[in-house]
Amino acid sequence: MLTAPDYPETRRSDVAETLFGEQIADPYRWLENDVRNDPEVADWVERQNAVTNAYLAEIPARDWFWQRIGQLTDYERSSTPVERGGQYLYTRNTGLQNQSPLYVREGLAGPKRLLLDPNAWADDGATALADWRPSPDGSKLLYSVQDGGTDWRILRVLDVATGEQLVDEVRWAKFTGLAWLGEEGFLYSRFPEPQAGEDFQALNYDQAVYFHRLGTPQAEDQLVFATPEHREYNHTASVTSDGRWAIITSSIGTDARYEIHAIDLAARGTEEWRARPLVQGFENAWSLIDGIGGRLWFTTNRDAPLYQVVSIDLESANAQWQPVVPELAETIAGASIVGDTLFVSYLKDAAALVRRFGLAGEERGLVELPGIGCVGGFTGQPGDAQTFYSFASFNRPATIYRLDLASGTSSIFAQARLAFGPETIAVEQRFYTSKDGTRVPMFIVRRRDIADADRAAPTLLYGYGGFDISLTPAFSASRMAWIEAGGVFALANIRGGGEYGKAWHDGGRLANKQNVFDDFIAAGEFLKTEGITTPGGLAIQGGSNGGLLVGAVVNQRPDLFATGNAAVGVMDMLRFDRWTAGRYWVDDYGYPEREADFRTLRAYSPLHNIRAGTEYPALLVTTADTDDRVVPGHSFKYAAALQAAGQGSRPQLIRIETRAGHGSGKPTDKAIEEAADVLSFLGYWTGLEAPRQRRSETASQS
């Protein structure tokens, strides 16, 4: 029986401050320092990893999870193709490549040709192709590079015909779109270059949109749109398919409240960027669908909490917003125009539903989907004759479909060969009641034999609950390994997300944040009451805002959970707004310097509600040294405090990845290794025995 190890010593300081009459001790504030610049923090990371690695190496199922997750990951997968100039561009991974290369075909039936292979960019595979856009005629490719998991991007341009790199390179881009202006250049968003040593921690202010003309140095890029009088505003650019309009979307934080400006590219001079305001006031969500001539289509939640589609004719003398597709019973998740069809994706109880409309809003029926799942794609342009989309679910990776617009029929374009049988996995949706009577949906995924026998099994409960982000049915090789081993995977669509529109989001943020934790706790209680999980077999997991979720609920109900994984979590709710993008999160969390918000944050902040002498569940905290979204200091301080306060035999460990960030761009080998570590840890403390572990134990008893 494994027990808590001897933890490395962590220095405590006497740092404290008085906030609204309460003295707040912060003895581990020194752990906020950047691991790259502070030798003491670097030494602490090394010592913590040594203890954690030694502990994980003793877990019997670790090797099985590593092997099986690798096998389940080893399938060929592609992105939905993008067509420009008769050429089709798409990413394709043979299975275990660390990064997915980008290919091009001349016509759908033509042979594929490698355009970019990010696997050659770094020996450790940690440099990724983050995003890419072909130019309107397909002759050039604009793409962004992500190194070591950072949010910073480097933009480069490739000649598609020859595969040669052009001279163009743009740095300090972050949270940017990639928007071509014809074949002459592109629009992008960037921040000022940070001071030396502050790349991964300094707050992000003064984002602006620039135009880069091909063949010129970045120093000559033209400023297109900025608000120096409002340094906190963020600005991104997109361009309509016909190249007529550049749309500037401005925001203040993470909340879906935007201002919209339009630049008539047909009327601009060489260096003139006249931005016409379309929406002012930061009151509602607005998202450009596309434009044809003078008419633009948007989705918005103005007067429609579940969203509607509207349009405006900017060539009209009295341009007014006109309804196209009214608000329906389901939440709009996205929309696109392909050919003469408006595709609108909805969420019906968190599962995908796709409707087709004419450009004036006339109904054209549903896109038939294979079952409960999520969709992607439906990309293209007005006038196209086809589109491609993907469908995935918990028990099947993404299949790519080609949809012929004339007939409305879909055909399989690319389908993975799998190392398991999807029909052997049962996917169901249940609803449970939260503390205040709210009805909350939950997906439950398990082996069909376990479901048919209605047999209890160790269960991994996952949640997020914030920032208007919806959790939808998607495939995960690591979760499938957990299910194959005999475990149950449950996903709770708790408040704070966007599954049911604005009201669902508002019900789980700011002063209502406790609803998120109540919903998650109620999910755990439901799994136990219904006999889905075993009495001591409930594990929980969440990342980012979901890491905060795990930290908060184990403080509030340590008795309910056997174990948990808090990944890249926001753990210090009194200082989260002091680093990089943290200032944006006040829309969901509130302002720590305002007393009413402080009281709310103080009541659930994971770091500040750890109670000495409490027997906490077995916890594995995971983070990464290059996470410049949620800086690793959050997890460092939280883990140190847990280790100092914990009681009992269950461990409180931290696993710190190197050359990785918040999650995107992580190499396949690192992702598999981390998943094996996490799931074997959770499995050990829930009593889940991997198949090889069961065989070896049976043999030893015979």
Side-chain angles (χ1 to χ4, degrees):
M1 177 72 177
L2 292 173
T3 58
D6 293 329
Y7 303 118
E9 183 179 350
T10 301
R11 177 174 65 84
R12 292 176 58 92
S13 71
D14 58 0
V15 173
E17 54 190 337
T18 301
L19 302 174
F20 302 105
E22 180 179 355
Q23 187 174 54
I24 305 294
D26 198 0
Y28 306 115
R29 185 172 292 183
W30 62 274
L31 285 171
E32 295 175 355
N33 295 340
D34 193 330
V35 66
R36 282 161 291 269
N37 302 327
D38 189 318
E40 187 180 14
V41 176
D43 176 68
W44 183 87
V45 166
E46 184 177 355
R47 289 186 290 116
Q48 289 284 346
N49 270 341
V51 169
T52 298
N53 291 338
Y55 186 93
L56 295 173
E58 295 297 317
I59 296 178
R62 186 192 194 192
D63 288 344
W64 182 88
F65 272 108
W66 176 81
Q67 182 181 43
R68 189 56 183 152
I69 294 170
Q71 292 169 344
L72 290 165
T73 303
D74 193 8
Y75 64 92
E76 185 177 315
R77 51 195 177 274
S78 303
S79 65
T80 52
V82 174
E83 187 272 332
R84 291 292 185 274
Q87 301 178 109
Y88 292 82
L89 294 91
Y90 60 97
T91 60
R92 172 182 172 271
N93 194 307
T94 57
L96 295 176
Q97 290 175 285
N98 276 326
Q99 305 292 342
S100 295
L102 181 69
Y103 293 86
V104 63
R105 285 181 179 178
E106 293 287 346
L108 276 179
K112 67 179 183 293
R113 174 168 57 89
L114 180 65
L115 267 185
L116 285 172
D117 185 3
N119 295 289
W121 293 348
D123 291 341
D124 62 357
T127 303
L129 174 62
D131 199 3
W132 51 273
R133 294 288 186 282
S135 64
D137 68 4
S139 64
K140 292 173 283 293
L141 179 80
L142 170 62
Y143 66 97
S144 61
V145 177
Q146 177 188 24
D147 184 57
T150 177
D151 280 336
W152 292 111
R153 301 290 187 264
I154 302 171
L155 310 186
R156 296 193 172 110
V157 182
L158 184 80
D159 184 293
V160 172
T162 65
E164 293 181 1
Q165 294 284 338
L166 304 187
V167 296
D168 306 85
E169 182 176 278
V170 168
R171 291 183 175 267
W172 306 116
K174 181 188 276 195
F175 310 137
T176 182
L178 303 177
W180 282 97
L181 262 61
E183 302 295 322
E184 61 177 313
F186 55 86
L187 300 176
Y188 69 97
S189 303
R190 62 158 293 182
F191 291 92
E193 180 177 352
Q195 295 183 9
E198 296 187 3
D199 308 21
F200 299 100
Q201 291 202 322
L203 284 167
N204 300 145
Y205 283 102
D206 299 306
Q207 189 181 38
V209 175
Y210 286 84
F211 170 66
H212 176 80
R213 188 179 300 278
L214 295 185
T216 65
Q218 184 175 358
E220 296 179 10
D221 289 358
Q222 298 173 25
L223 178 64
V224 174
F225 192 88
T227 51
E229 70 280 9
H230 292 288
R231 299 181 59 216
E232 71 277 17
Y233 287 9
N234 312 299
H235 311 290
T236 58
S238 54
V239 175
T240 55
S241 294
D242 62 4
R244 172 69 186 278
W245 299 94
I247 303 300
I248 308 296
T249 301
S250 302
S251 63
I252 300 177
T254 56
D255 208 4
R257 296 179 294 113
Y258 306 126
E259 288 190 342
I260 305 292
H261 290 77
I263 300 173
D264 188 347
L265 298 175
R268 77 174 180 91
T270 305
E271 297 187 11
E272 188 176 32
W273 305 92
R274 293 185 179 177
R276 170 182 175 178
L278 298 185
V279 178
Q280 293 181 291
F282 294 107
E283 295 178 355
N284 301 108
W286 296 84
S287 179
L288 174 70
I289 300 172
D290 210 337
I292 302 175
R295 184 168 294 277
L296 303 174
W297 285 260
F298 283 78
T299 58
T300 180
N301 64 359
R302 188 181 72 172
D303 302 324
L306 299 181
Y307 289 80
Q308 62 176 324
V309 176
V310 298
S311 71
I312 189 170
D313 183 359
L314 295 185
E315 293 178 343
S316 170
N318 185 28
Q320 299 290 327
W321 293 103
Q322 302 294 327
V324 177
V325 177
E327 179 184 33
L328 300 178
E330 300 87 18
T331 305
I332 291 179
S336 60
I337 293 174
V338 187
D340 64 350
T341 300
L342 176 63
F343 290 93
V344 184
S345 300
Y346 293 85
L347 288 180
K348 181 177 176 60
D349 294 328
L353 174 72
V354 182
R355 292 187 171 98
R356 297 181 297 155
F357 300 90
L359 299 186
E362 60 274 23
E363 294 186 20
R364 294 183 177 175
L366 294 171
V367 176
E368 295 295 331
L369 300 176
I372 293 175
C374 62
V375 296
F378 292 103
T379 56
Q381 302 180 91
D384 286 356
Q386 64 183 358
T387 187
F388 296 87
Y389 66 94
S390 64
F391 175 85
S393 190
F394 294 112
N395 61 346
R396 61 182 70 242
T399 296
I400 309 297
Y401 294 85
R402 175 184 176 272
L403 192 155
D404 180 88
L405 269 63
S407 65
T409 58
S410 296
S411 57
I412 293 176
F413 179 74
Q415 187 174 30
R417 295 180 180 177
L418 305 178
F420 70 99
E423 69 283 353
T424 66
I425 307 300
V427 178
E428 60 180 312
Q429 187 176 46
R430 302 235 195 140
F431 292 83
Y432 66 93
T433 302
S434 190
K435 182 178 180 180
D436 64 356
T438 298
R439 185 170 179 260
V440 183
M442 178 196 296
F443 292 106
I444 298 172
V445 191
R446 47 189 166 171
R447 283 194 339 231
R448 191 165 297 280
D449 63 314
I450 294 175
D452 290 346
D454 199 21
R455 189 167 73 243
T459 299
L460 174 56
L461 172 63
Y462 188 90
Y464 186 79
F467 296 98
D468 201 24
I469 292 173
S470 302
L471 297 185
T472 57
F475 180 75
S476 162
S478 59
R479 291 171 182 169
M480 186 54 61
W482 175 272
I483 294 163
E484 283 191 340
V488 178
F489 175 74
L491 187 150
N493 295 106
I494 57 182
R495 280 173 285 184
E499 288 88 346
Y500 295 106
K502 189 175 187 300
W504 200 250
H505 178 211
D506 288 346
R509 65 179 181 137
L510 300 173
N512 296 323
K513 189 67 176 177
Q514 182 59 41
N515 288 336
V516 176
F517 313 134
D518 290 342
D519 287 358
F520 202 62
I521 288 169
E525 292 173 332
F526 174 84
L527 291 167
K528 289 193 172 184
T529 301
E530 293 296 306
I532 294 168
T533 188
T534 50
L538 182 57
I540 55 174
Q541 185 181 42
S544 194
N545 177 75
L548 156 64
L549 169 67
V550 170
V553 298
V554 297
N555 282 334
Q556 295 180 16
R557 286 294 306 277
D559 60 302
L560 184 60
F561 314 108
T563 182
N565 167 223
V568 293
V570 187
M571 300 306 199
D572 186 343
M573 301 310 298
L574 305 184
R575 290 173 61 80
F576 70 85
D577 60 342
R578 297 171 183 250
W579 301 284
T580 60
R583 67 176 185 83
Y584 302 147
W585 310 336
V586 295
D587 286 341
D588 247 54
Y589 298 148
Y591 293 83
E593 69 270 20
R594 298 177 182 175
E595 183 171 3
D597 290 345
F598 166 83
R599 299 296 178 197
T600 300
L601 294 164
R602 174 67 180 83
Y604 70 78
S605 176
L607 176 65
H608 299 95
N609 286 279
I610 294 171
R611 299 188 302 274
T614 299
E615 189 162 347
Y616 281 102
L619 292 173
L620 180 59
V621 180
T622 52
T623 187
D625 62 357
T626 313
D627 189 348
D628 51 359
R629 184 84 56 84
V630 179
V631 295
H634 280 280
S635 294
F636 293 175
K637 292 166 64 176
Y638 174 70
L642 273 176
Q643 291 175 357
Q647 176 178 307
S649 61
R650 294 178 181 262
Q652 321 294 322
L653 302 174
I654 183 167
R655 182 189 189 279
I656 303 138
E657 187 66 84
T658 58
R659 287 269 296 153
H662 201 57
S664 67
K666 183 173 290 185
T668 299
D669 58 2
K670 284 189 177 183
I672 292 172
E673 183 178 330
E674 179 181 34
D677 285 351
V678 170
L679 293 184
S680 61
F681 180 89
L682 300 180
Y684 182 84
W685 286 102
T686 55
L688 179 69
E689 296 180 353
R692 182 174 297 172
Q693 180 185 352
R694 289 196 290 269
R695 288 197 301 270
S696 63
E697 289 179 352
T698 300
S700 66
Q701 295 168 4
S702 60

